[in-house]
Each structure stands twice: as C-alpha cells, then as structure tokens.
Amino acid sequence: MTTDAEIARAAVLRPIAEIGARAGLPADALYRYGPYKAKVSFDAQEALPERRGRLVLVTAISPTPAGEGKTTTTIGLGDALNRIGRRTIICLREPSLGPCFGLKGGANGGGRAQVVPQDEINLHLTGDFHALTAANNLLAAMIDNQVYWGNPLGLDPSRVTWRRALDMNDRALRDVVVGLGGNGAVRQDGFDLTVASETMAVFCLAASLGDLHERLGRMVIGQDFARADVRADAVKATGAMTALLRDAFQPNLVQTIDGSPALVHGGPFANIAHGCNSVVATDLGLRLADYVVTEAGFGADLGAEKFFDIKCRAAGLSPAVAVVVATVRALKMHGGVAKPDLGAPDAAAVRRGAANLRRHVENVRKFGVPVVVAINHFTADTEAELAEVFACCADLGVGAHLCRHWAEGGAGAADLAEAVAALADGGTARFAPLYPDALPLADKIDTVAREIYRADGVALSPTAVRKLARFEAAGHGHLPVCMAKTPYSFSADPAALGAPSGFTLPVRDVRLSAGAGFVVALCGDIVTMPGLPRRPAAETIHVDASGVIQGLF
Amino acid sequence: MTTDAEIARAAVLRPIAEIGARAGLPADALYRYGPYKAKVSFDAQEALPERRGRLVLVTAISPTPAGEGKTTTTIGLGDALNRIGRRTIICLREPSLGPCFGLKGGANGGGRAQVVPQDEINLHLTGDFHALTAANNLLAAMIDNQVYWGNPLGLDPSRVTWRRALDMNDRALRDVVVGLGGNGAVRQDGFDLTVASETMAVFCLAASLGDLHERLGRMVIGQDFARADVRADAVKATGAMTALLRDAFQPNLVQTIDGSPALVHGGPFANIAHGCNSVVATDLGLRLADYVVTEAGFGADLGAEKFFDIKCRAAGLSPAVAVVVATVRALKMHGGVAKPDLGAPDAAAVRRGAANLRRHVENVRKFGVPVVVAINHFTADTEAELAEVFACCADLGVGAHLCRHWAEGGAGAADLAEAVAALADGGTARFAPLYPDALPLADKIDTVAREIYRADGVALSPTAVRKLARFEAAGHGHLPVCMAKTPYSFSADPAALGAPSGFTLPVRDVRLSAGAGFVVALCGDIVTMPGLPRRPAAETIHVDASGVIQGLF
C-alpha cells in the first residue's frame, strides 16, 4: 500500500460510538451521520465540566512546495499522545470542496496519519459548509431584495460590500454583475469561496449559538446613502441565518486511522481570516480531554500569530505548548534549492534554510508559549542534513524530534509526544497576546510587522490610513488585526524565502470584519475565489463499479 | 394546539430504526442522520426482491390560493392504509429552501398529516439539495474553466446554455454577467433555483448510480462554434458530479406523525421538469411495501400527466389507482368566487367549479388508471356544498370520500383508504402513457394540449418549430414532452379557472433536457429563479433560547 487513499481504505474504522466513548462522550451525546461520523449535541456539551485540558498548537515553518506535513503531524502527535496514555483529542478544520476538485484532496493528513472516512470528510462531511453557503447567500438575497422592494434601509447599491459565496473554485464568479433584466439594482458583485466569507469566520469564532447570532448581526454589509455602515441585523436576516447554522454549529466527531477522536469543524481562510477550526470544537476538546492538539494555517508568522492574537484572545484560550513542524526538504528550499533539485543531499542548504525555522521558533516564544520542533521525516533525508536541523535547535535551546508518523502512525511520533506532554505538564507557559486590545489599529499592524515579520516598518496606503481612522471612530479600534500576507515569506514578496529582513511591509487596504471581530490588513493581492487549474482533479474523480469514489485524494 | 408547528413539535417521534423495521428494512440498511432520519444504503436496496407493491398516485384539481392539501392527503392516505392493515410507504419530494425563506414552510403536509421532523426536513434534510447544487455548479465552473484555458472544446461562450444554481430565492441572480475582471470569457449567465436545474431532473429520473452518471453525461451544456451540441461528458465533469451525488442518491427515510414510513427524496420543479420524487425512492417503496402512495406536482393536467408520461414511462412504473384531491373552497374559486368571499356558503359556485374536477377525473382515466376523489374537509364546508361534489362524482361514476386527516390523522382518511385499497387490489388498471415514443415531438405537444387541456390546437412559435426539427434531427425525437404551463388553468391563461375551452395553446419556445430525457415546451413565461416577497418569511425565522427554530413552518 503506497497511496493515502489505499491506506485510508484499508483502515478498519471503529463505530463512532466507540470513538465517542474514548473521548468521554455517552452514546446519546452523538447525533450520528452514518456509522463513522457524528455531531456532538448542544445538550451534551452543556452538561460537561469546564475546560481542563492542555492546549497544544501545531504550527510550521513558512510553507514551500516541498510540503511540511503540518496536518499529518497534528494527527500523528495526537495519536502518539493517546498511545503513551495521555487522553487526547485532535481538532482540525474542515476541508473545502474547492481544492478537492482543483488540485487533490482536502489536506486531512497522509500516510498512516489521516482522519477518516476521507471520502466523506472531503466531500460533504456533515454539510456544515453547505449550511454556511446557504446562510451567506440568504443574507445576500435579502440585501438585494430590500433594495428591490423600495430600499427602506436606504442602502447604496454601489456600496454593498457583502459578497455571495460558493464552496467551489469558480474563477468566472470572482467578478460579476447582478440584477440585470429588471430584477433589481444592477450592481457589481462577486462570489468568494465559502471558506473566505465572514460568515465562516464568525462561525469559527462564536462561543455559543447566541454569540453566533450576535456576531452575524454585527457584520457590516455595506453603506447607506449617508455613508453610514449598515449591519446584517438591519436586513433582518440573522435569525434565519442562525437557524440554517444551528445543526452545523455542533462539532463533528471522526477518528484517525489510529483510532484517536478528532473534532473536525469549521475552516476559515488563513489569509483574510484566522485559519483554524471552530472555537466550539476546541472548547469541547478541552472539556473532554487531557490534551487537545490543534493546528493553525500556513506558517507560524501567519497561522500561529492569528491563533494567538485572534482565536485565543477571543475565546480566552491559553496554549500550553507549540510544535513547529519542519522538513529537511522544505528547509533546503528556504536555503535556496529549487524544487527539481530537492533530491540531492545538501546539508549546507539546510543550514541556510534553518534561519526560517529559527525565526519562527523565536516568534512563538514571544507569546510566552514553550516550543518544540517536529522534524517530519522523509526517507531521502540524510544524517548530515538532519544534523543541521538538530544543531539549529540545540543552538536555540529547543527540543527537536524526528517523527515517522506518516509511515508508522502514532508510534512514529512517540518521542515528540513525550516531549510535548512534559512541556505541557511543566506549566511553564505564560501565554499573552502580542499586543493589547487598546493599541491603535495601525500600531497593531506595525507591531506584527516588526516583531513577527521583522520588517523595518509598514507602508500604509492612503486608503488604509483613512479606513483605519474610520474604523476607530466607529468604535472598532479595540479589535485585533488579521494580516493577509503571502504565506511563503516573512515579507510580502513570496519569492523571499528563508529569513528576509530590511523590507517595508506594504498594506494596500484594510477591511472590517465586525462580526468575526478583526480588521483585515491586505498586504498584496489576495484571491478569495480560486480558479481551477488547466487539468482539474475533478476530471479524473469518479465512482467505480463498486460504488467507491476514486481520484479524490 | 392549532398550528402545524405546534402539532409537529408535540408529536412523539419513534427512533428511525423502528420506522425502518416497519418498512421492512434491517437496522444495518440505514445510514442514520441523527435519531429520526436515515438514508437507505445501496447494498440494502440491491438485496431486496423485485417491485411488488401497488402504486397509488395522489393528484389534484387545478391549484388555487384556497389550498387543496395534496401533500396532506398523500400523507393522510398513507397513514390510513397502514391503520387498516395495509403495509404502506409514502413517497414525497424534498422541499427546497427557497420557499421556506420566501413564504412559509416546505409543504410537508399539515395538521396531523405531516412528515417529521419538520425543522430538519425543511432546512437541510440530509443535504441532498446541497449536493445537487454543488454538482450543478461544478459543471458550470468546469465549462468556464475550459474556455479560460484555451477552450479546447471550441465552445461558443455566447451559446453556453448551462446555468448555475442555488437553493435560495435570489432574484438578483436571475440574469447576471460572469467572467469580468480578466477572469475568462465575459458572458451572460444566470442562476436557477436548484430544483429547477436539469441536474435535479436527472437525479430524480435515474434508475441507478450508473444511469445517473450516463444521464449527467448526456446533458447538453451549449454549442460549439460549429453550432454542434456539447455535452457534459465532453467537459469531463460527470465523474466528479456523480461522486458528489453518490450519498445523496440514496433515498431518505423519515416518518409521519402517525408513524408511517415516508421516503422523501428529490424534488424537481413541476413546470420545466416533471415535479415528483425520485425514481429510486419510488422503486424502493415498491420493493418494500404492499402499497406506495406518492404525489405529483400541481394539478392533474400537469402533475399526473408528467407522472404518467415522463416518470412512469422512464421507470417502467404502472400505477394502480389515482386519487384526485379537491376541496370545496377551491371548487368555489373555480366556480368564480374570489378568495376574500370564500367564507360565505355558495353551493352553486361549487357546482360550477366542479367542472374542473370533472375534467381532471376524465383526463386521468385516459391513462387507464382507475380514479377516486378525496374531498379534503374544511370545517366551514356546508352539507349543500359537499352534496354538489358528491353529485358530480356520482355522475362521473367515481367514488368520493370526505377526508379529515388534517384534523384526525390517518383515522380521518379510513374510508378513502378502504376505497383505494379495493381499487388497487381489483386489478382494473390498464395503464398506458398518452402517446407513443415514436410520435413526432410537435404531435406529442398537440396530443397533450387537445386531450388533456382541451385546447383547439397549438400555436408553435417559429423558434419552437425550428428547434423541434433540430432536436429530432439530432435523435431526440423519441423523448416525451414536458409541458411548462401555468398550473392555475387548463389553458395558458392563469385567470381562466374552471374548465375553459376554445383556446389555442401558445408554445413560445422549447428546450432539450437530454440527460433527464424530455423536451420542455414553454407555454408562457416560466420563472426558474423565484424572488423573495417584500416581507420574506426569513425575517421572522429564528432560534429561540431553547435552541428551537421558530417561524419556519
């Protein structure tokens, strides 16, 4: 067995009630979707004790085409913790359909470190993203509908900022004109991928169904003719949106190939949003388990920073340990090796590229969270190359552990698990966000740019300056910032790998996500509706004669 | 308890495994979605014996704003058959989200004749429509994507007929321009309600997963620069579409308040498509039960005709009995009474309006199917008014039964059930479609217009004439026709209630649904994307403090 699909299909899945029992959930807490998926009911959640588990964040070096295996490591570490007798739940974000049809698979781990059943997790899971799409588009329909029926809110159709959404990579919908043919106000509009919608960000940051309703109501959907912000509440859509999302808001329970419970729930974009699974899933995990292993999007400069400054701040979470994932291959790319040349051993390149790892480790420590490095093993890694990574970590005073969970499942990450458990139990974490709520928005951007990206400074566009002033005047100055920057570099230039310095971070525009509760700083062009490639994966996906879906992952 | 919602909520639901057992399904045949919904697995379906049940169609007089209660009667009759010891399964179409947010509720029965759990059935059920939306839009994305990447198929962007879909009443999306901003070919496009898509029609007429794949591949999505039809297969989307639909294609099992098993699956529009639940659900019912009660869309002129000529023809079904539902209130409207005046007794109006009932009964008999009339009782009905309906039925030689299932559940339709069972068991049905496959398309339209609508003839537009010739030349002449006409009148004039005659049926255009397997005749303007009203129901839908959804139905 060599492919992820073959391994996933050969896995013997346990009934979801058995996984629920491992997680500490009685059978009647589970709202089942077939034999291997369930939602955890609100009633069961309410009956649980307070949070007691220790929160472990898995993050990574700056991503490269070589692959780092952050999700794989999150799963492998969770499996390993369970194997060494630590009751652990894994929390992951749900995959979007878009990438499944465009490239391949929803990034739910690989090798022997996967969440299963993969087909179902990739395609619809329990329908959460469909519910989010519907809720997002109900609001859009009600916005245009009130304009059609005499526009009692005085909404300026040319200043509607709320966009429609689909969970489908559809380039042709990026920029559209709606309302033609006498069907209301003709105006420019566009579709975002559902995961890039504020509806998704709100869903993932809401602490309860009531909080979800309030946050949806706070979302700004455009401006009226007097240039005042109009909120979703004014459109009277948020009750029905909450009704559409009620069932979806319950976290999904699935399992890893190793049999660990995994909560797979919510999945916002990691650029214009914060990029991690729902607060309610993390909260549920912390109330059930001794350890919760979760991941953040992209590299630590974006993913971990947002995890700490946005999610942990909003949800009152206090992480105990952070794992920074690196691979020899990826460090070689950060050290200047091109992808076609990755096959050749090059310890010197690893040494150069380790500057990227070093900076991420230093950054995570700034949040008061102890760090350990996971080296996700590839068979072609040489001893000399690995020695460079260990040397870098020794110099940093950070533990480093070679992990073989891809090939071996949880057993391959036992050393990492022991180290993580020891750090978590050591109680050395002194978590604090990078900046206080009270700092002005521009200073928050500046702080992240200097402290995390190591920029010399920030160049705010005149538009950004003007809008930040407007946001602060409107009472949004206390919000954290959500940086939308290329994940491939600490700088805004995706080609500047390694650990660039001496640059200025350009911020061309800013956007308010008042419901999610952050201000997005756009440092470059951010695609919120991807397109399909010339040869989409969808062309080869099919159901075979036995009813098995082939080509999906 | 007076409202449908109160009655539905007070109902004590049985675990879905118990309902499955009543239907003859072992527990492992059920892929459960929570305690009260399940899909019936492919494996279990394949293990069943051949069809053996008797098929009962519930249809109605021409619909009026007074309400006829066709779905309510379908449910009440099914409950009543079970009560008198006949093993019966009810087959219904799934509701669309669109009407739920626009007006109110998904038309899943009322009073004590409802399918439950209503909230879940109305909102997402098991996600079938979301899967259909995704499949439909994946094809759309792949069409525009291949144009973007050099257009290897030579598709003429201005002749793409495939439209996108959403399960949301969104007027602003009826007519849009896509591909702006350098994102491919700029072209006019539009969104249909998901239930109005050919994807939905195909889903509901496919006999198996393999047939679904083939039908999806046959769908015509536009023309190339040489004006030749381009099929979905050429876009290489149909494998992935089938993968998206695989789980959705399994029929959904729910229950009535009375505890009858109900298969709620698929729901195509009744104008540009055939308007009844999936073939696979009906087939499953006939393999499990002694009697299957199902319904067709609109009145018998459209719904029953399409049920017989499209669905039964395609699926080899042979109905044993048809029930025509009428109400005194609706017959009064057909007799000329305006809605505000319906409160006043008016036997003469009922007598005049009974002409509508008479014609529908005569029409159904033309298909060789024995008929019985169900008078859906309203408390304000007077004896004199009811006597007019009975007199009309006596004159026709058709049984008529006063039904109180709305107030009493299955017990209120026991007489109807006895009559239906007797007719079904009598073996008098000699079902045949109205016209043979070999008849030319224009003659098929003419036959339906004269025989069913009682038109003097058909006026085909020059466009329709030209396109019918093209369809026949392309080998589609054997297909049945699907009439898209106002449901409110036998004619194309919605104001001509009762039993109009002496009119010509205008056919302004025709459309090929090559995958579904019919040619649509458009007799007037047909809205395939409804709009929301001035005060959408969505404005008052909300989740209350107990987590219960209010205002939905």
Side-chain angles (χ1 to χ4, degrees):
Chain A
M1 291 193 305
T2 49
T3 72
D4 288 351
E6 285 168 337
I7 294 168
R9 235 163 253 146
V12 179
L13 272 63
R14 295 150 183 87
I16 196 64
E18 189 181 324
I19 301 299
R22 285 188 192 187
L25 288 163
D28 66 4
L30 301 183
Y31 184 101
R32 276 189 269 177
Y33 286 71
Y36 306 121
K37 300 177 296 187
K39 281 191 170 286
V40 180
S41 77
F42 291 124
D43 289 348
Q45 292 178 58
E46 278 170 18
L48 291 172
E50 294 296 293
R51 294 173 189 166
R52 57 184 188 81
R54 294 184 173 125
L55 182 58
V56 179
L57 175 70
V58 177
T59 181
I61 59 170
S62 304
T64 70
E68 288 69 46
K70 191 174 52 190
T71 305
T72 305
T73 303
T74 305
I75 296 167
L77 172 58
D79 286 339
L81 282 164
N82 276 317
R83 279 183 176 250
I84 64 168
R86 313 292 182 127
R87 282 172 43 94
T88 302
I89 289 178
I90 297 159
C91 289
L92 299 172
R93 96 273 172 276
E94 296 180 57
S96 162
L97 281 177
C100 287
F101 295 123
L103 300 165
K104 204 168 189 182
N108 307 302
R112 294 214 44 88
Q114 300 184 45
V115 282
V116 283
Q118 274 262 32
D119 286 354
E120 299 179 32
I121 292 172
N122 275 317
L123 281 187
H124 304 292
L125 192 48
T126 56
D128 295 343
F129 286 14
H130 295 316
L132 282 154
T133 302
N136 188 91
N137 294 338
L138 174 62
L139 175 54
M142 290 179 76
I143 290 168
D144 281 308
N145 190 58
Q146 79 86 32
V147 174
Y148 178 86
W149 289 106
N151 201 358
L153 293 175
L155 194 65
D156 182 345
S158 69
R159 290 178 179 269
V160 172
T161 50
W162 191 254
R163 287 161 61 90
R164 289 171 167 87
L166 275 185
D167 190 20
M168 188 64 63
N169 285 5
D170 192 344
R171 181 189 296 107
L173 294 180
R174 277 178 191 158
D175 197 350
V176 302
V177 169
V178 301
L180 293 164
N183 291 305
V186 176
R187 64 181 187 85
Q188 206 160 0
D189 191 15
F191 284 70
D192 292 328
L193 197 61
T194 298
V195 297
S197 67
E198 189 178 354
T199 312
M200 175 65 88
V202 162
F203 182 87
C204 290
L205 286 168
S208 66
L209 211 50
D211 187 35
L212 175 66
H213 182 267
E214 282 175 28
R215 285 172 181 266
L216 291 172
R218 285 204 293 269
M219 298 189 304
V220 173
I221 57 94
Q223 294 186 314
D224 62 20
F225 287 113
R227 299 277 173 103
D229 285 349
V230 178
R231 290 168 183 265
D233 246 358
V235 186
K236 298 182 185 163
T238 46
M241 292 174 79
T242 308
L244 275 167
L245 296 174
R246 186 193 58 173
D247 293 345
F249 195 60
Q250 300 171 126
N252 304 300
L253 178 69
V254 293
Q255 64 192 284
T256 68
I257 289 180
D258 232 23
S260 297
L263 296 170
V264 177
H265 196 228
F269 251 32
N271 45 37
I272 52 85
H274 59 293
C276 29
N277 66 262
S278 73
V279 162
V280 287
T282 304
D283 180 75
L284 174 61
L286 290 170
R287 292 161 77 174
L288 286 168
D290 296 329
Y291 302 85
V292 168
V293 183
T294 190
E295 69 173 329
F298 297 149
D301 56 331
L302 286 163
E305 188 272 316
K306 293 181 187 191
F307 180 82
F308 295 139
D309 279 326
I310 297 175
K311 180 174 172 174
C312 291
R313 186 193 303 259
L317 297 169
S318 195
V321 189
V323 178
V324 178
V325 181
T327 61
V328 162
R329 285 164 57 84
L331 292 175
K332 273 199 271 193
M333 290 196 81
H334 280 296
V337 178
K339 198 179 174 193
D341 304 327
L342 284 175
D346 191 341
V350 174
R351 191 182 324 134
R352 291 191 302 273
N356 186 273
L357 171 62
R358 173 185 297 272
R359 187 177 287 179
H360 284 297
V361 169
E362 289 168 356
N363 283 346
V364 171
R365 284 174 165 167
K366 294 188 180 181
F367 294 87
V369 179
V371 184
V372 60
V373 169
I375 308 168
N376 187 16
H377 182 254
F378 277 65
T379 47
D381 297 349
T382 66
E383 288 302 319
E385 289 171 327
L386 289 167
E388 292 292 345
V389 190
F390 283 112
C392 166
C393 293
D395 187 48
L396 281 163
V398 66
H401 300 275
L402 196 60
C403 301
R404 293 187 160 88
H405 45 269
W406 188 90
E408 302 170 14
D415 288 353
L416 177 68
E418 294 285 2
V420 164
L423 271 178
D425 297 351
T428 53
R430 297 288 177 272
F431 170 71
L434 191 67
Y435 50 79
D437 292 354
L439 202 66
L441 291 169
D443 292 349
K444 287 172 180 164
I445 295 172
D446 194 73
T447 301
V448 175
R450 290 178 191 267
E451 294 284 325
I452 304 296
Y453 309 156
R454 318 293 174 96
D456 291 343
V458 173
L460 293 171
S461 73
T463 303
V465 171
R466 185 171 40 80
K467 286 168 79 173
L468 288 178
R470 191 162 67 76
F471 297 161
E472 289 184 337
H476 304 297
H478 66 290
L479 295 177
V481 293
C482 180
M483 307 299 287
K485 175 183 74 70
T486 175
Y488 303 112
S489 170
F490 281 104
S491 76
D493 171 12
L497 303 192
S501 57
F503 61 89
T504 300
L505 185 77
V507 175
R508 66 167 175 83
D509 201 356
V510 291
R511 259 194 233 165
L512 175 64
S513 290
F518 50 68
V519 170
V520 182
L522 296 157
C523 317
D525 287 331
I526 301 295
V527 173
T528 51
M529 172 52 90
L532 291 169
R534 185 184 289 270
R535 294 268 168 272
E539 289 189 358
T540 52
I541 294 171
H542 65 281
V543 182
D544 71 16
S546 316
V548 176
I549 295 172
Q550 301 288 355
L552 184 59
F553 67 103
Chain B
M1 291 191 305
T2 49
T3 72
D4 288 352
E6 285 168 337
I7 294 168
R9 234 162 254 148
V12 178
L13 273 65
R14 294 148 183 89
I16 197 65
E18 189 181 325
I19 301 299
R22 285 189 193 187
L25 288 164
D28 65 3
L30 301 183
Y31 183 102
R32 277 189 269 178
Y33 287 70
Y36 306 121
K37 302 177 295 187
K39 281 190 170 286
V40 180
S41 77
F42 291 123
D43 289 348
Q45 292 177 57
E46 278 169 18
L48 291 173
E50 294 296 293
R51 294 175 188 165
R52 57 185 188 80
R54 294 187 172 122
L55 182 57
V56 180
L57 174 70
V58 177
T59 181
I61 59 171
S62 303
T64 70
E68 288 69 46
K70 192 174 52 192
T71 305
T72 306
T73 303
T74 305
I75 295 167
L77 171 58
D79 285 339
L81 282 163
N82 276 319
R83 279 184 177 251
I84 65 168
R86 312 294 183 127
R87 281 171 44 94
T88 302
I89 288 177
I90 297 160
C91 289
L92 299 172
R93 97 272 171 276
E94 296 180 58
S96 161
L97 281 177
C100 288
F101 295 123
L103 300 165
K104 204 168 189 183
N108 306 304
R112 295 214 42 92
Q114 300 185 47
V115 281
V116 283
Q118 275 262 34
D119 285 353
E120 298 180 32
I121 293 172
N122 275 317
L123 280 187
H124 304 291
L125 192 48
T126 56
D128 295 344
F129 285 15
H130 295 316
L132 283 153
T133 302
N136 187 92
N137 293 339
L138 174 63
L139 176 55
M142 289 179 77
I143 290 168
D144 281 307
N145 191 58
Q146 79 88 32
V147 174
Y148 178 85
W149 289 106
N151 201 358
L153 293 174
L155 193 64
D156 183 345
S158 69
R159 290 179 178 271
V160 171
T161 50
W162 191 255
R163 287 161 61 88
R164 289 172 167 86
L166 276 186
D167 189 20
M168 190 63 64
N169 285 4
D170 192 345
R171 182 188 296 105
L173 294 180
R174 279 179 189 157
D175 198 349
V176 303
V177 169
V178 301
L180 293 164
N183 291 306
V186 176
R187 64 180 187 84
Q188 206 161 359
D189 191 14
F191 284 70
D192 292 328
L193 197 61
T194 299
V195 297
S197 67
E198 189 178 353
T199 313
M200 174 65 86
V202 162
F203 182 87
C204 290
L205 285 168
S208 66
L209 211 50
D211 187 35
L212 175 66
H213 181 266
E214 283 175 26
R215 286 173 180 266
L216 291 172
R218 285 203 294 270
M219 298 189 305
V220 173
I221 57 95
Q223 294 187 313
D224 62 19
F225 287 113
R227 299 275 173 103
D229 285 348
V230 178
R231 290 169 183 266
D233 246 358
V235 186
K236 299 182 185 166
T238 46
M241 291 174 80
T242 309
L244 276 168
L245 295 174
R246 186 192 60 174
D247 294 344
F249 196 60
Q250 300 171 123
N252 305 301
L253 179 70
V254 294
Q255 63 192 285
T256 68
I257 289 179
D258 232 23
S260 296
L263 297 169
V264 177
H265 196 227
F269 250 32
N271 47 37
I272 52 85
H274 59 293
C276 29
N277 67 263
S278 74
V279 162
V280 288
T282 305
D283 180 76
L284 174 61
L286 290 171
R287 293 162 77 174
L288 287 167
D290 297 329
Y291 301 86
V292 167
V293 184
T294 190
E295 69 173 328
F298 296 151
D301 56 330
L302 286 165
E305 188 272 317
K306 293 181 187 191
F307 180 82
F308 295 140
D309 279 327
I310 297 175
K311 179 172 173 175
C312 291
R313 186 193 303 259
L317 298 169
S318 195
V321 190
V323 177
V324 178
V325 179
T327 61
V328 162
R329 285 164 56 86
L331 292 176
K332 274 199 272 195
M333 290 197 81
H334 280 296
V337 177
K339 198 180 173 191
D341 304 327
L342 284 176
D346 191 341
V350 174
R351 191 182 324 133
R352 290 192 302 274
N356 185 273
L357 172 62
R358 173 184 298 270
R359 188 177 286 180
H360 284 296
V361 169
E362 288 169 357
N363 283 346
V364 171
R365 285 174 164 168
K366 293 186 181 182
F367 294 88
V369 178
V371 184
V372 61
V373 170
I375 308 169
N376 187 15
H377 182 255
F378 277 66
T379 46
D381 297 348
T382 67
E383 288 302 319
E385 289 171 326
L386 289 166
E388 292 292 345
V389 190
F390 283 111
C392 166
C393 293
D395 187 48
L396 280 163
V398 66
H401 301 276
L402 196 60
C403 301
R404 294 187 159 88
H405 45 270
W406 188 91
E408 302 170 12
D415 287 353
L416 177 68
E418 293 285 2
V420 164
L423 271 177
D425 297 351
T428 53
R430 298 289 176 269
F431 171 70
L434 191 68
Y435 51 79
D437 291 355
L439 202 67
L441 291 168
D443 293 349
K444 286 171 180 163
I445 295 171
D446 194 73
T447 301
V448 175
R450 290 178 191 270
E451 294 283 323
I452 304 297
Y453 310 156
R454 318 295 173 95
D456 291 343
V458 172
L460 293 171
S461 73
T463 303
V465 171
R466 183 170 44 79
K467 286 169 79 174
L468 288 178
R470 190 162 68 77
F471 296 162
E472 290 185 336
H476 304 297
H478 65 289
L479 296 176
V481 292
C482 179
M483 307 298 288
K485 177 183 73 69
T486 175
Y488 302 113
S489 170
F490 281 104
S491 76
D493 171 13
L497 303 192
S501 58
F503 61 89
T504 299
L505 184 78
V507 175
R508 65 168 176 83
D509 201 355
V510 292
R511 259 193 234 167
L512 175 64
S513 291
F518 51 68
V519 170
V520 182
L522 297 158
C523 317
D525 288 330
I526 302 294
V527 174
T528 50
M529 173 53 91
L532 291 169
R534 186 184 288 269
R535 295 267 168 273
E539 289 188 356
T540 52
I541 294 171
H542 65 282
V543 182
D544 71 15
S546 317
V548 176
I549 295 172
Q550 301 288 355
L552 185 58
F553 68 101

